[in-house]
Amino acid sequence: MASRVLWRIFTFTLVQILGAILGFWLDDHYFPSLASPITAALAGAVISGYVWHVLDLSNALKVMHWLRNGDSQLDGVGPGIWGEIGDRVRRLVRTHERAVALSEDRLQDFLSALQASPNGIVLLDGQNRIEWFNQTASSHFGFAPRRDLLQHFGNLVRDPEFAAYIAANDFQGDVVMPGRANTFAKPVRLSVHIHPYGGGRSLLLSRDITALEQADAMRRDFVANVSHEIRTPLTVLSGFVETLQSLSLNEAERERYLSLMALQAMRMQSLVSDLLTLSRLEGSPLPPTHEWVSVSAILDQCEHEGRELSRVLWNQAPQLVFEVQAGIEIAGYGLELHSAFFNLIGNAIRYTPSDKEIRVSWEAQADGSALFVVKDQGVGIAPEHIGRLTERFYRVDRSRSRDTGGTGLGLAIVKHVAQRHSAELSISSKLGEGSTFSIRFLPTRVKVPEVI
Ligand code: ADP
């Protein structure tokens, strides 16, 4: 910069010297009688200095015009101090533009991250007007992206629980309220939490807790059901114990009471065993896809156990027909598959009169899948129950289920095992005519022997 100033002084002085020489020369050659040579030189210096200033001012005006209009080009200013000022301003503007573009990019990245959040995010100004919200918040509260910006949040969300939360002005915790899409048939529950921050603004976070609340309700129902299921045989047992203690019974009566007590104890045992099976199914890793088990071996065992169950329950040889294609293997856990298959066979035996037929079949399908079917001619199930049969403790006929040693957990176990083996359970039934339960295993878990 100092060199530019020295150059400026030098050019100004040089122009004046040249003006003085020109004045002196003109006076000497053309107008000797007009003025003395000194005066002419002085006049030449003043006029050239004036011209220099006019030219300088014109450059300054060009720079000023350029700054005012924001043109991209600054032409005709030359390399002097005005040119340098132009260059520097240009560089400053470029640096500034780059910084603005960078922060714009950062802001966009930041907003994209907030947009990707699974939680609803709403930014509110000091008057609780909506400044920005993400897609999730828009679906939680039913906001429209353009229409609802700068609207008062409280005008759009008129839920009484939320209004009370705002009125209390205590944002330590959250408030739970229904979401926009909430209906009686399909409830949607939101947890909304306001976090105030600088300048009276606040950040509102919303989270869909419907599944969490449902899981909580299911857990409570489950505990209540288990307690109820255990309490019933326990009450019966303790009643018998009291009777045995207080009454003097003969041998036959004692025998009868003891066998009834044994039955109740057995019920509790099967309940606990089914509960343990379910919890193992939930907690253990998925069945392997490279360990193959022979289904015909499992079904041989099931047939044997089925005949035994039928004999114990109905005291009669069952009409059990097994049609099993040999050699088919399933990738998975043998114990789980046995439990699923035997639950279906056991149910068919328990819900079918002993003079009717139960047909169990296992065969490979043309598409590479394999189908396990248990078809009975039993009591059947009314259509309204079919969708709920795999719920834990759901029973159509409570007394028949209990009398035949049911726990209400059998089909829940079957569904779990099927899901874990990428298989699908289907149920079809006609009241009074019989039911068909089938499990279809996908080709990925089925190995069929090659026909030679
Ligand atoms: P449970 O131990 O009571 O049999 P499940 O979960 O195995 O429990 O079955 C649920 C309900 O489905 C049973 O209580 C019964 O009402 C009905 N059910 C299951 N299998 C059959 C079947 N083969 N025929 C008629 N009803 C059945």
Side-chain angles (χ1 to χ4, degrees), residues 274 343-352 374-382 385 388-398 400-402 404-414 427 429 434-437:
D274 275 1
N343 260 306
L344 293 184
I345 296 168
N347 278 353
I349 295 169
R350 288 163 49 226
Y351 297 103
T352 306
V374 179
K375 189 172 166 52
D376 65 50
Q377 298 175 335
V379 292
I381 306 154
H385 296 293
R388 300 195 58 191
L389 291 182
T390 54
E391 285 176 23
R392 291 159 190 205
F393 299 114
Y394 190 84
R395 293 171 170 116
V396 181
D397 179 347
R398 281 192 171 269
R400 187 172 182 129
S401 162
R402 287 225 176 84
T404 54
T407 59
L409 295 173
L411 290 179
I413 293 176
V414 176
I427 307 170
S429 186
S435 317
T436 304
F437 289 78

Side-chain angles (χ1 to χ4, degrees), residues 420-431:
R420 283 165 57 77
H421 287 81
S422 337
E424 203 189 341
L425 167 72
S426 353
I427 307 170
S428 65
S429 186
K430 252 198 178 155
L431 199 58

